[in-house]
Amino acid sequence: MKWTARLGVWLARCYPHSWRARYGEEFDALLADRPTTLLDCLDIAIGALNAHTMPVTAESLNERMARMLNVVRRSEIVVFSAFIAFVVAGLYLNGQTDDSPYLPLMGFKPGLFPNIELNNPLAVTWLALEAFSLVALAAVLAGGLPIALSVWRRSPHLRGLFLVPVACFVGICVPPAIAILAYYANGMNVPTVLRGLGRPLSVSYGIWFVALAVISTAAVARAVARGEIGAGILRFALWASAAATAAMAIMLCSTLAWGLAAHTQAPGNFDRFAFTGDPTVLSWGIVIVTMLAATAVAAWATLRGINASHRDDAAAGPASVIPSTEIAG
Amino acid sequence: MSLVELGAHSDPTLLILASLAGGPKHGYAMMEDIEAMTGVRLGPGTLYGVLARLEQRGWIVPLPSDDRRRPYQLTGAGAVTLSERLREMQRLAATGLARLAESQR
């Protein structure tokens, strides 16, 4: 086989999977029937690019819609999973900051409405982090609850999967609840109780927390992947995903700024490359990397879902006027 | 002057529909027929890009086949579309020729 023929066969593999499934065999037969020139190879490469950017496969409108909705569904599962990873990182930072020397530095006083100093970068960045965490949570609930309700109502065989997050939540609460109950009678301060458990037990609880978060997320993802969900609900959830992702990006920037402020205002506490139970540059760095990865994955998935949704809307135009397919006599 | 030099009548959609108007053909047969008919050599990527669009529009349909080569057939809607395009070109040709004859008198 000449090198141009081999190149042509290799380039044919660059067509999208759905295109290959429909036309791959006959296309390969065509390439085998005639000599492939360099111009043919260029033509095949351009054809593959067009097939990726302007997919036109002879599938029915319903098949195309189902394929698009599957892409949207998978995108939303990825965004939800990234959000959970982001939350775990945020809770870790929040747990470290709680009852730490940073609270008085932020001007937070005990009470329902802490006295926040707006000229204090440490306080303002923390406030922004907490405010946008509520925005992200609201967006996830706005997009996720209709999906969950749709799966619950239309796919009763999947209802058991929704018990998994409930069980995981109980599992997360049980160890600290037991510790608090065990020491409450002695009048000990709760954060002191948790710190008093020592590093090995704290690390073990952290691993337990992450494991239950993963199991819980996997159960929800499975329910959403397999459940019956209306197209309108999936499309709406795309915009909720975009809002959640934007909020995550702002929280990431706030966390970054908070660390820089901590470095400026409390270098003695912050500028330590160690795990001390309070936020340090090491623990903060791990949180930043996790948040950055989660935000990047969520952004990629959201864009992929929106692109699939819009591309199908554009491609559906001409197909809506498919003429009758009467066979010529 | 060949059609490929003219450019105007090298539209792959038109060429494929015209080729299939002569009976069902698979991809290689279409390319050979088009080259013989017009001198235009379609690339395989171009051919299958157009075949996919024509099939989506319902102007051609694939026929069952025992081997890897799948023949396509023109549908009634495809025949109507081809007919309309060729009549437009016929009107254009008639108008152009009449004006040329007029200008050379």
Side-chain angles (χ1 to χ4, degrees):
Chain A
M1 192 188 268
K2 279 182 67 178
W3 70 271
T4 48
R6 264 189 249 114
L7 178 60
V9 168
W10 181 82
L11 285 168
R13 302 279 177 270
C14 298
Y15 276 81
H17 177 73
S18 58
W19 192 97
R20 292 280 314 163
R22 171 63 187 86
Y23 296 109
E25 202 176 358
E26 57 191 274
F27 195 75
D28 289 343
L30 173 66
L31 295 183
D33 278 345
R34 45 171 271 163
T36 307
T37 66
L38 199 55
L39 278 177
D40 287 339
C41 291
L42 182 62
D43 185 69
I44 294 168
I46 293 170
L49 186 63
N50 283 337
H52 278 286
T53 55
M54 293 180 292
V56 177
T57 49
E59 55 186 345
S60 70
L61 199 56
N62 283 342
E63 286 170 338
R64 193 165 56 242
M65 179 67 84
R67 185 166 51 81
M68 179 276 291
L69 290 175
N70 272 337
V71 173
V72 170
R73 185 193 299 241
R74 283 198 297 269
S75 299
E76 287 160 4
I77 290 171
V78 170
V79 171
F80 176 72
S81 304
F83 174 74
I84 296 300
F86 195 102
V87 165
V88 169
L91 287 175
Y92 173 60
L93 181 64
N94 189 70
Q96 287 205 312
T97 311
D98 199 22
D99 198 39
S100 72
Y102 292 90
L103 284 186
L105 281 175
M106 288 193 280
F108 285 7
K109 294 186 176 59
L112 191 59
F113 299 103
N115 180 25
I116 296 159
E117 299 163 357
L118 293 179
N119 58 350
N120 183 342
L122 208 58
V124 169
T125 51
W126 190 261
L127 179 65
L129 175 61
E130 292 196 327
F132 280 94
S133 70
L134 294 177
V135 171
L137 179 63
V140 168
L141 289 176
L145 284 179
I147 288 176
L149 198 60
S150 179
V151 173
W152 182 270
R153 288 169 64 184
R154 297 163 79 167
S155 307
H157 60 288
L158 296 174
R159 287 177 182 170
L161 287 171
F162 288 109
L163 296 177
V164 174
V166 174
C168 290
F169 181 75
V170 171
I172 285 170
C173 294
V174 161
I178 291 173
I180 290 165
L181 285 172
Y183 286 93
Y184 186 70
N186 293 323
M188 293 181 74
N189 180 270
V190 170
T192 307
V193 164
L194 294 174
R195 286 174 190 275
L197 291 174
R199 185 169 293 179
L201 217 51
S202 298
V203 170
S204 301
Y205 178 71
I207 294 170
W208 170 250
F209 187 100
V210 170
L212 290 182
V214 169
I215 292 168
S216 178
T217 305
V220 171
R222 190 178 174 92
V224 173
R226 291 170 181 236
E228 274 192 50
I229 305 167
I233 292 174
L234 282 174
R235 282 179 185 261
F236 170 74
L238 261 183
W239 300 109
S241 297
T245 304
M248 285 161 68
I250 295 172
M251 284 194 284
L252 169 64
C253 294
S254 300
T255 309
L256 196 60
W258 185 88
L260 295 174
H263 162 70
T264 306
Q265 291 179 236
N269 282 324
F270 189 74
D271 290 352
R272 288 179 289 174
F273 204 76
F275 292 108
T276 65
D278 294 334
T280 62
V281 71
L282 178 60
S283 62
W284 169 82
I286 290 171
V287 168
I288 287 292
V289 166
T290 307
M291 286 184 170
L292 180 63
T295 306
V297 167
W300 168 81
T302 302
L303 286 172
R304 190 162 175 265
I306 292 173
N307 187 42
S309 178
H310 281 175
R311 193 171 60 200
D312 190 79
D313 285 344
S320 66
V321 289
I322 291 177
S324 62
T325 56
E326 176 191 356
I327 304 295
Chain B
M1 183 180 286
S2 69
L3 278 173
V4 70
E5 288 165 316
L6 267 175
H9 303 306
S10 62
D11 176 18
T13 302
L14 197 60
L15 295 175
I16 290 169
L17 290 176
S19 175
L20 290 176
K25 296 180 184 65
H26 55 66
Y28 180 60
M30 270 185 253
M31 292 170 87
E32 294 286 290
D33 183 51
I34 288 167
E35 190 166 4
M37 193 169 49
T38 63
V40 172
R41 190 175 186 277
L42 286 186
T46 301
L47 174 74
Y48 268 86
V50 175
L51 283 178
R53 263 194 299 281
L54 293 178
E55 191 180 349
Q56 189 204 34
R57 287 174 181 267
W59 293 346
I60 64 174
V61 286
L63 298 177
S65 170
D66 290 335
D67 66 18
R68 295 194 303 163
R69 297 165 191 77
R70 189 192 295 260
Y72 290 85
Q73 185 179 51
L74 195 65
T75 64
V80 165
T81 302
L82 175 63
S83 174
E84 284 171 3
R85 290 282 298 273
L86 291 176
R87 283 190 219 291
E88 281 170 15
M89 291 169 63
Q90 198 173 46
R91 278 195 294 274
L92 175 65
T95 305
L97 286 169
R99 289 180 181 179
L100 270 174
E102 194 65 37
S103 70
Q104 284 167 358
R105 214 178 282 162

